[in-house]
Amino acid sequence: MLAATGPAQADRIRNPTAVFAGLDKITGRIISFEVAIDETVQFGALQLTPRVCWTRPPTEAPQTDAFVEVDEVTVKNEYRRIFTGWMYAASPGLHGVEHAIYDAWLTDCKGGTELVVDPKEPEAPPPAEDPRKPRTPPRDPNQPLSGQQPALPPPGGRIDVEPPRGVPVQPQRPSQRFFPTNPTPGRDPAAGGGA
């Protein structure tokens, strides 16, 4: 008879606050700012909205991640979704947002006390192979499919690829604005000088 003495390996803690770091590439300043779950804040030209922020109990290996939506506000005041996905504090270089001027990444989650236990489902066994069916070798992705001509570059040999522009989204009014070039950290220029 075994008794469970602590949380299982897949248990996690739901946190009400995500902590981000932001880099202004022009000034070289890095600031840290906190964002409540489902709150939108603006860092430079980026609007960040964390939807969930998870950590592990202190008895387990640290793993901090958050599901975040990031919109870019362009010079023409257009809003485009440039990132929707998971950010991991352990690998900010792989799972952060890299913008032409501003970068943002997750550093921590805090304030959580609610332990969420994930049900453990047994893994399904791999499907049995039919010994009568011959195996086909994997297809080389660099070779065209049968009956197709390989794509040729246009005359002159140059292929121009337009960078992705993001998906247009409805503007959101941020609850706070963080501009790394402001003299006072956390100052919201739209609020008339108050923090």
Side-chain angles (χ1 to χ4, degrees), residues 48-106:
L48 290 89
T49 308
R51 297 299 179 188
V52 68
C53 200
W54 300 106
T55 55
R56 299 284 180 190
T59 56
E60 296 183 22
Q63 183 177 342
T64 303
D65 49 4
F67 189 83
V68 183
E69 297 172 349
V70 180
D71 299 334
E72 176 189 23
V73 183
T74 66
V75 177
K76 296 177 183 177
N77 206 25
E78 297 170 342
Y79 291 74
R80 299 185 304 218
R81 177 77 32 97
I82 60 170
F83 179 82
T84 300
W86 290 96
M87 288 186 178
Y88 300 95
S91 55
L94 296 175
H95 302 283
V97 173
E98 294 184 12
H99 181 262
I101 301 171
Y102 303 103
D103 289 355
W105 61 93
L106 178 72

Side-chain angles (χ1 to χ4, degrees), residues 134-185:
R135 290 186 177 188
T136 57
R139 187 182 75 79
D140 183 3
N142 296 324
Q143 297 295 324
L145 295 174
S146 60
Q148 287 185 340
Q149 294 282 334
L152 298 175
R158 182 175 170 179
I159 300 175
D160 290 329
V161 178
E162 187 174 332
R165 298 189 180 262
V167 178
V169 293
Q170 293 297 317
Q172 295 184 26
R173 180 160 173 77
S175 60
Q176 292 182 341
R177 290 189 172 126
F178 301 95
F179 291 93
T181 55
N182 290 348
T184 306

